[in-house]
Amino acid sequence: IHERTLREYQIESKLPSAIESGEIKIHFQPVVDSGKGQIVGFEALARWQDDELGQLPPAEFVRIATASGHIGALTLMVLRLACDAFRPYLQLPSSPYVAVNVSVSDLYGECFPDTLMSILEEEGIPPQRLVLEVTEDMLLGDTATVTAALARLRDNGVRIAIDDFGTGYSSMSYLSSHMVNIIKIDQSFVRRIVTKESDQKIVRAIVSMAADLELSVITEGVETEAQLQFLYRHDCAMAQGFLLSRPLPVGQLQAWLAQDGDQ
Ligand code: C2E
Ligand code: MG
Ligand code: MG
């Protein structure tokens, strides 16, 4: 307990300067449409290499940033970095999006939609090309505030994706309320998709429900050709995972596109 507390304390105290100094960077992981052979989008994932603590897992420092009140600054920094790195790819023929993960406290912040829109304007990114990834749990709790924030973003053209779908506490009402555009099926259902019948049934059910509700579906964590083929045959062509590409430093994206992408 002592060690864990010490580590959390170190991470918390290093966070503000890591955010400000540019020590925290982003990688982009492409999302691919395996049917069309096109890039659908790029998800920005935060990366932090600390001299003392080494490479810190984003899930850990994001959790600590959320608990300590630094998440707002982290989200806006990631958004700026993501917009900046994405600008050269606005013109790709497949019109890809850039996706940024947001936390529930971002959505509770009253100014969040306005701040986000002004960053998009400064960075020259049309709101239609931004996707915000939220988790199911965020859409519980104080739903009025979150719904109002999502409605303002949606009215401005920003799209919302439900991340890690199927792992949280779902209130299905948000899926039919036109607040959400994309469902990202969690990698835990994809891992055994080729062999485990219950996971196949769940994925088929999600794909069918999404089609009825006119939502797009992306599967996360696709690691094998067999998984990709299975998903393609079950009307789930949009995928993200190590098979297609690991998250890449933004400087390596151009080379990846030239080799594997659709340019
Ligand atoms: P996520 O948003 O669901 O991101 C997908 C995670 O799955 C990433 O982990 C990615 O590296 C990993 N992944 C992608 N393809 C595969 C695959 O084929 N196999 C496996 N095993 N993993 C795969 P990462 O980068 O460690 O991020 C973990 C989580 O941390 C993210 O999950 C997201 O919830 C959070 N996160 C990362 N960056 C940010 C950020 O800038 N802001 C916020 N609020 N959260 C972030
Ligand atoms: Mg995500
Ligand atoms: Mg996810």
Side-chain angles (χ1 to χ4, degrees):
I1 289 172
H2 175 71
E3 267 174 33
R4 198 174 65 200
T5 314
L6 182 67
R7 181 175 163 92
E8 293 201 355
Y9 172 76
Q10 284 176 312
I11 294 175
E12 187 182 324
S13 54
K14 280 167 179 266
L15 257 170
S17 66
I19 294 170
E20 259 180 49
S21 67
E23 211 177 302
I24 298 181
K25 301 189 164 40
I26 58 161
H27 282 190
F28 268 161
Q29 188 176 31
V31 180
V32 171
D33 184 324
S34 60
K36 296 184 185 150
Q38 282 183 333
I39 312 293
V40 177
F42 303 99
E43 178 176 4
L45 293 159
R47 293 290 179 264
W48 181 9
Q49 170 77 38
D50 180 76
D51 292 343
E52 258 178 293
L53 301 170
Q55 185 77 36
L56 290 155
E60 184 180 26
F61 68 79
V62 165
R63 178 177 53 76
I64 295 172
T66 307
S68 59
H70 298 304
I71 189 71
L74 178 67
T75 302
L76 295 181
M77 185 217 58
V78 169
L79 179 68
R80 279 187 195 281
L81 290 178
C83 286
D84 191 48
F86 176 62
R87 210 177 305 104
Y89 306 106
L90 271 174
Q91 306 307 331
L92 283 181
S94 60
S95 302
Y97 64 73
V98 61
V100 171
N101 292 281
V102 296
S103 85
V104 67
S105 39
D106 295 318
L107 297 178
Y108 282 145
E110 237 172 60
C111 327
F112 181 69
D114 287 340
T115 311
L116 182 136
M117 294 310 295
S118 54
I119 291 178
L120 289 180
E121 201 176 335
E122 282 166 32
E123 296 287 340
I125 304 295
Q128 291 75 12
R129 303 293 283 277
L130 177 71
V131 167
L132 295 182
E133 299 199 0
V134 304
T135 53
E136 292 165 286
D137 316 35
M138 292 184 199
L139 304 170
L140 302 173
D142 180 3
T143 45
T145 311
V146 172
T147 309
L150 293 182
R152 284 195 38 218
L153 292 163
R154 177 202 56 203
D155 293 347
N156 283 306
V158 174
R159 282 173 287 164
I160 306 293
I162 303 291
D163 208 348
D164 308 339
F165 186 80
T167 59
Y169 296 97
S170 308
S171 145
M172 291 293 168
S173 58
Y174 61 75
L175 292 180
S176 57
S177 58
H178 303 289
M179 281 199 295
V180 168
N181 309 87
I182 301 165
I183 290 177
K184 295 189 76 177
I185 301 180
D186 188 67
Q187 53 189 39
S188 57
F189 300 107
V190 175
R191 206 165 293 137
R192 287 177 293 271
I193 190 76
V194 179
T195 51
K196 197 170 163 201
E197 209 178 322
S198 59
D199 285 351
Q200 296 175 355
K201 285 181 182 167
I202 289 171
V203 169
R204 278 206 298 265
I206 298 174
V207 169
S208 151
M209 176 186 69
D212 281 347
L213 294 169
E214 294 176 22
L215 304 174
S216 307
V217 178
I218 295 169
T219 42
E220 304 191 82
V222 177
E223 293 184 354
T224 70
E225 192 62 46
Q227 290 167 343
L228 191 70
Q229 290 303 326
F230 180 93
L231 291 163
Y232 177 72
R233 286 200 307 277
H234 290 85
D235 300 321
C236 196
M238 289 200 270
Q240 182 176 359
F242 294 167
L243 174 73
L244 301 152
S245 169
R246 288 188 173 259
L248 300 168
V250 292
Q252 289 178 20
L253 200 61
Q254 191 64 53
W256 180 85
L257 279 166
Q259 214 180 350
D260 298 293
D262 67 346
Q263 289 273 40

